[in-house]
Amino acid sequence: MRSLEPASAALAGRTLVTLNSGTPAGARETAAWAAARGARFLDGAVKNVPAAVGKPDTLLYYSGDRAVFDEYAATLRVLGGDTVHLGTDVDLAALYESAVGATLLPALLGFFEGAALITARGLEARTMVRYSVKWLEMIAAILPGLAAEIDSGDYTEPASSVGLFHDAIGYEDQTGTDAGIDLSWHEPMNDLLRRAVAEGHRDHSISALVEVLRKQPGRVA
């Protein structure tokens, strides 16, 4: 909001649309700030790299006043053809940006780990790209089923169980040791798996990890 403050006197009767990254709380604060200055507000997020802005398949989220979105929809779609209004709760764009964006760094770290293993053998990282893309396509294909398990709360018919991933911890550690690769970034994930097993989820679907993620260690509910 500090960056907008110099223009605050000119906002009355105008529409403010933001596309900066931020938190849901920040979106709510900005909406209140804009309303106090007489402006209509729409929060947004670009879910792609900067070079993709303006392309027909680029995804942008918006949330807040639906009338504002409808009024400026044609203009907003110039920024990306896959333009979505998530709802009237002004913080939904920031919420979905964080929720969907949570996949990015872990996926990239997984690729970088694989690249470290490949290059440690004197091979080129580019040789694994085709196979990594196929793997990511497989992951994309199973997301609807995992989401259905989470929404229903029924994890009892797993395609891949928590125990399967838990039992692989030692093998992954050995692979890292043999190749001289730092796999310490796995430890928080391994801790989630151990906690899930301790809570009785060994034979449940891997999607049951969401139940562990909902509980911060040491925090009293």
Side-chain angles (χ1 to χ4, degrees):
M1 288 183 288
R2 285 196 298 268
S3 62
L4 295 172
E5 193 62 51
S8 62
L11 288 177
R14 306 183 74 171
T15 298
L16 175 63
V17 180
T18 61
L19 287 166
N20 58 294
S21 296
T23 65
R28 296 192 297 270
E29 291 169 7
T30 304
W33 180 90
R37 286 152 182 79
R40 298 190 299 168
F41 178 71
L42 196 67
D43 191 50
V46 182
K47 287 314 296 177
N48 211 313
V49 296
V53 172
K55 295 184 178 180
D57 60 345
T58 296
L59 172 64
L60 289 94
Y61 306 132
Y62 294 93
S63 57
D65 191 331
R66 179 72 200 214
V68 173
F69 176 82
D70 289 342
E71 181 177 345
Y72 294 101
T75 300
L76 298 175
R77 287 195 175 92
V78 172
L79 299 173
D82 192 359
T83 293
V84 180
H85 185 262
L86 293 169
T88 56
D89 289 347
V90 76
D91 61 353
L92 286 177
L95 179 67
Y96 273 74
E97 182 184 24
S98 296
V100 174
T103 309
L104 179 59
L105 186 55
L108 289 177
L109 281 171
F111 176 76
F112 299 152
E113 177 186 315
L117 286 168
I118 291 290
T119 56
R121 287 286 299 272
L123 302 167
E124 293 183 315
R126 63 182 181 82
T127 63
M128 63 178 280
V129 170
R130 173 178 172 240
Y131 312 119
S132 295
V133 169
K134 293 289 287 185
W135 189 241
L136 290 170
E137 289 172 351
M138 182 283 296
I139 294 171
I142 66 174
L143 291 183
L146 296 174
E149 291 174 347
I150 293 166
D151 289 340
S152 70
D154 184 355
Y155 310 108
T156 59
E157 297 183 10
S160 296
S161 68
V162 169
L164 181 69
F165 286 83
H166 177 270
D167 294 345
I169 292 173
Y171 298 110
E172 293 176 353
D173 289 346
Q174 186 62 53
T175 298
T177 299
D178 292 346
I181 302 300
D182 180 3
L183 298 188
S184 59
W185 74 280
H186 283 210
E187 191 50 36
M189 296 187 297
N190 294 342
D191 181 61
L192 284 172
L193 291 167
R194 295 183 189 107
R195 286 166 54 199
V197 169
E199 293 178 17
H201 293 297
R202 168 175 277 281
D203 295 325
H204 289 166
S205 170
I206 190 62
S207 61
L209 285 183
V210 75
E211 301 295 339
V212 183
L213 287 166
R214 287 172 175 153
K215 307 171 188 174
Q216 290 187 22
R219 173 179 256 182
V220 178

